[in-house]
Amino acid sequence: MCFLFPLHSSRSSPSPRSPAMSLHQRPHQKPLGADSLPVSTTPANAAPSRPLPLLTLPYLFSLLALLLLLALLFPWGPPRHSALASPWRSYTLQDAAAFAAASGNGTIILAAVSGPYLPFLSNWLISVRRAGRANQVLVIAEDYETLERINAAWPGHAVLVPPAPDAQAAHKFGSQGFFNFTSRRPRHLLQILELGYSVMYNDVDMVWLADPFPYLVGNHDIYFMDDMSEVKPLNHSHALPPPGKKGRPYICSCMIFLQPTEGAKLLMRKWIEELKEQPWSRKAKSNDQPAFNWALLKTTGQVDVYLLPQSAFPTGGLYFKNKKWVKETKGKHVIIHNNYITGFEKKIKRFRDHKLWLVDEHSDESPLGKI
């Protein structure tokens, strides 16, 4: 923020006015005589006087000090009024949720991104649009630049819920910035549920191969996918899987569907509590998923859960690493998650290798255009 300091200039007060003089009177002037001519007092052999030079050291130091002051007051030039006056700065989650839900009969498809993830957002949006669901999408922008960029191309589909986290640190998996970024997720979801909307959350390193909504059968509080790569039978149970070696299940928090029920709200509150009890540390470089699984386990019997079919919603550790299984389940896949790998470039290469990096040839299908 720039602070402008007023410059105090000393204005001399007007001098008293002399008595009015008649328009017909002229002042008496004494003619100059020979003895009243100005006489030079400069010796004849003296050097002619020169004007005082401006580029003296005190003058240069004063000029430099002034420039430094101006640089501090205006580091990037005058305020950019267009950014400050942007209507999206006052756009609330309530406004944005109502906008997205209006196209989906009360159901929102939610994603959250910071600037580095925009190419993945665009790739995911192409697949969602092909399924006919793009108008239901609401993006939680985690920095103001991303908010403006999305809404400039696709008005109304992005909102920022303050305070904005550090956008530059949020993309490195295992960092405190990444934890802070992902730990905001249950709060966003709970707010939407309390507004009375159903919501599907997706990470943007996913690709839809078909519409997932026909698979949300029954009337459960929450639907989710397993994050284990072990192959399940096609007719596997839809109950919460038993705990693994760490004492909790391994459900993926990256693709969940919630209905605005008391059970779903209870689970989100428990998730928030677990995140507070398991904060990030240098020793335990956690993310939001362990806390989500502890919340599922501790609310067993209070929340109606549904495990989605593995053949339609496989984890990346299965889809990208088990060619035999992929061949046997061909035609059944619905959402592919590019997890079990870290790093932007590695994820993009893997998507390209499987012909799932759609932005290369189909960027015109993205609501955001070419990123």
Side-chain angles (χ1 to χ4, degrees):
M1 180 179 295
C2 296
F3 297 92
L4 301 181
F5 297 92
L7 299 176
H8 298 284
S9 60
S10 57
R11 293 179 57 184
S12 56
S13 55
S15 57
R17 300 179 64 181
S18 56
M21 182 179 293
S22 170
L23 293 176
H24 303 287
Q25 289 181 330
R26 302 180 68 173
H28 296 284
Q29 297 182 359
K30 182 179 179 181
L32 291 175
D35 58 344
S36 59
L37 290 175
V39 178
S40 174
T41 59
T42 304
N45 59 351
S49 62
R50 291 179 298 177
L52 183 66
L54 292 177
L55 298 179
T56 59
L57 282 178
Y59 177 82
L60 288 175
F61 280 125
S62 299
L63 181 60
L64 180 60
L66 178 61
L67 291 174
L68 288 174
L69 178 62
L70 291 174
L72 289 172
L73 294 177
F74 303 100
W76 304 111
R80 291 175 289 182
H81 298 288
S82 59
L84 294 174
S86 170
W88 305 118
R89 299 287 178 116
S90 58
Y91 193 48
T92 66
L93 182 59
Q94 182 175 357
D95 296 332
F99 174 76
S103 300
N105 196 25
T107 298
I108 296 165
I109 301 169
L110 190 73
V113 296
S114 57
Y117 283 96
L118 281 174
F120 285 91
L121 172 65
S122 190
N123 194 70
W124 173 75
L125 281 172
I126 292 170
S127 68
V128 174
R129 194 174 198 178
R130 288 177 176 180
R133 298 278 184 178
N135 287 339
Q136 295 173 242
V137 170
L138 175 59
V139 180
I140 302 289
E142 298 290 7
D143 58 83
Y144 285 106
E145 182 179 354
T146 300
L147 172 73
E148 300 295 339
R149 287 188 67 180
I150 295 173
N151 280 334
W154 201 28
H157 284 276
V159 66
L160 188 146
V161 181
D166 182 354
Q168 295 304 315
H171 69 278
K172 188 176 180 181
F173 184 83
S175 68
Q176 186 173 7
F178 185 82
F179 175 82
N180 294 341
F181 175 80
T182 58
S183 64
R184 288 160 57 88
R185 184 180 309 170
R187 297 182 182 278
H188 299 327
L189 292 171
L190 179 59
Q191 284 181 277
I192 291 172
L193 294 176
E194 289 178 336
L195 290 171
Y197 304 116
S198 298
V199 56
M200 174 181 282
Y201 175 83
N202 276 193
D203 271 3
V204 293
D205 59 345
M206 293 182 165
V207 169
W208 289 20
L209 301 183
D211 186 352
F213 282 86
Y215 294 82
L216 306 176
V217 296
N219 191 29
H220 307 280
D221 295 327
I222 181 171
Y223 301 71
F224 44 69
M225 58 185 280
D226 201 342
D227 206 21
M228 296 296 290
S229 57
E230 181 182 350
V231 175
K232 299 178 183 292
L234 292 178
N235 62 343
H236 66 75
S237 169
H238 298 289
L240 180 68
K245 294 180 180 179
K246 295 185 178 181
R248 53 173 170 76
Y250 290 89
I251 299 301
C252 186
S253 61
C254 307
M255 199 310 254
I256 53 182
F257 177 75
L258 297 155
Q259 301 209 70
T261 60
E262 289 307 311
K265 295 174 189 176
L266 170 66
L267 179 61
M268 294 300 101
R269 293 189 187 102
K270 189 61 179 174
W271 188 1
I272 294 168
E273 287 178 15
E274 291 295 321
L275 283 166
K276 290 179 180 178
E277 293 179 9
Q278 303 173 45
W280 184 91
S281 66
R282 294 187 180 278
K283 184 177 180 181
K285 297 180 179 180
S286 187
N287 55 66
D288 69 301
Q289 188 160 301
F292 175 62
N293 279 275
W294 284 116
L296 282 169
L297 189 62
K298 293 178 180 181
T299 55
T300 301
Q302 302 176 70
V303 182
D304 186 359
V305 304
Y306 185 87
L307 178 65
L308 292 163
Q310 185 187 54
S311 58
F313 302 88
T315 186
L318 178 58
Y319 182 85
F320 292 109
K321 296 185 178 183
N322 192 329
K323 294 181 180 180
K324 182 175 180 283
W325 179 88
V326 171
K327 185 176 180 180
E328 290 173 351
T329 56
K330 185 178 180 180
K332 298 180 182 294
H333 312 139
V334 176
I335 292 183
I336 307 303
H337 188 195
N338 196 356
N339 62 345
Y340 276 72
I341 191 172
T342 58
F344 285 2
E345 296 304 321
K346 290 180 180 179
K347 284 178 179 279
I348 291 172
K349 183 181 184 303
R350 183 198 258 180
F351 265 157
R352 281 191 175 127
D353 291 344
H354 290 79
K355 303 187 186 306
L356 295 174
W357 190 243
L358 309 175
V359 293
D360 279 344
E361 298 180 3
H362 305 283
S363 62
D364 59 314
E365 294 183 46
S366 170
L368 305 181
K370 191 170 184 178
I371 299 296

